[in-house]
Amino acid sequence: MGRMSKLCIGVLGSGSGSNMQSILDAIAAGRLAADVACVISDVPGARILERARTHQLPGVYIDPAPFKTKLDGMAEQCVIETLRAHGVDTVVLAGFMRMVKPGLLRAFPQRVVNIHPALLPAFPGMQAWEQALKHGAKVAGCTVHFVDEGMDTGPIIVQRVVPVHCDDTAASLHARIQEQEHQAYPEALQLLAEGRLRVEGRRVLVQSA
Ligand code: GAR
């Protein structure tokens, strides 16, 4: 088993930041050994930046131009520098709607994690809960995984399953998935903090406590 070490987290998000909130709540409750050192968004008015302010955390908007769907070039450099300036050792993607590129992955090897609202490898990409609903899946869920160069393809740390009900709407299914996300993300990060994760190829081995 590895050594316990408190994580110094940098969060990247584009939206409401409810997953970041669950991480902050887990830290406050003593369930996660971590600090959130900074919050970065590619969306100027994102709620996640407001949440950062509420918690007196540095919240930084970084202009993603000229790219529409990825974090690359100058913006990527700027993100890396901001994360480094805040002493970040673990990069947490929490509703970040861009592909991260090799520059960021090289700067934080095996230390970029993501949460995805589906049971990967099913339904990668956008609006995954809606994809599951339209496909007629009977179960859905969420996945916390290490990020690699593909889209939602990296080694899986934790998954949680929820049922799909016949009267579900996209919104009701997403809400059910999000309840699980809010538990799964802090749990997965705590495993990382405890040094209990070992990546062997595609598999993440979780060592016992
Ligand atoms: C979450 O459901 C997350 O899994 C999803 O966006 C939502 C963000 O919510 N992420 C993706 O779809 C990434 N491709 P939040 O801003 O309230 O945490």
Side-chain angles (χ1 to χ4, degrees):
M1 154 149 187
R3 247 177 352 110
M4 167 82 186
S5 77
K6 196 173 181 183
L7 306 177
C8 185
I9 291 174
V11 177
L12 269 63
S14 311
S16 104
S18 71
N19 276 288
M20 178 182 74
Q21 189 66 54
S22 75
I23 289 166
L24 293 170
D25 293 348
I27 293 170
R31 283 183 282 116
L32 172 58
D35 289 314
V36 173
C38 66
V39 181
I40 297 173
S41 185
D42 58 331
V43 176
R47 173 102 197 278
I48 196 168
L49 289 176
E50 248 174 68
R51 289 191 202 257
R53 269 194 299 281
T54 306
H55 289 264
Q56 271 122 38
L57 297 171
V60 185
Y61 162 67
I62 287 174
D63 184 350
F67 303 109
K68 294 243 180 300
T69 57
K70 62 180 180 177
L71 179 71
D72 209 350
M74 294 271 284
E76 182 190 52
Q77 267 320 303
C78 191
V79 166
I80 293 170
E81 278 161 29
T82 305
L83 293 168
R84 288 209 169 119
H86 288 92
V88 165
D89 56 42
T90 305
V91 181
V92 167
L93 308 185
F96 189 61
M97 297 304 171
R98 285 172 188 275
M99 290 274 292
V100 301
K101 292 285 145 198
L104 182 76
L105 299 176
R106 269 197 304 271
F108 297 92
Q110 295 236 348
R111 280 282 174 169
V112 184
V113 290
N114 181 43
I115 189 150
H116 183 75
L119 296 171
L120 291 171
F123 311 123
M126 302 297 275
Q127 313 284 102
W129 61 91
E130 202 166 338
Q131 294 184 48
L133 192 64
K134 283 192 175 141
H135 194 85
K138 300 296 188 199
V139 293
C142 65
T143 304
V144 181
H145 64 94
F146 287 107
V147 177
D148 66 10
E149 292 182 22
M151 187 171 66
D152 303 322
T153 51
I156 292 169
I157 304 170
V158 168
Q159 290 187 305
R160 294 266 194 138
V161 181
V162 301
V164 179
H165 299 318
C166 53
D167 59 352
D168 262 327
T169 59
S172 66
L173 180 57
H174 191 207
R176 193 173 308 120
I177 292 169
Q178 283 219 293
E179 273 176 34
Q180 296 304 313
E181 290 189 321
H182 298 158
Q183 296 178 28
Y185 220 171
E187 273 175 28
L189 291 168
Q190 178 62 11
L191 292 173
L192 191 61
E194 289 175 4
R196 289 171 56 191
L197 301 180
R198 209 172 73 237
V199 182
E200 280 187 4
R202 283 220 45 87
R203 300 181 67 204
V204 179
L205 305 180
V206 181
Q207 289 163 309
S208 49

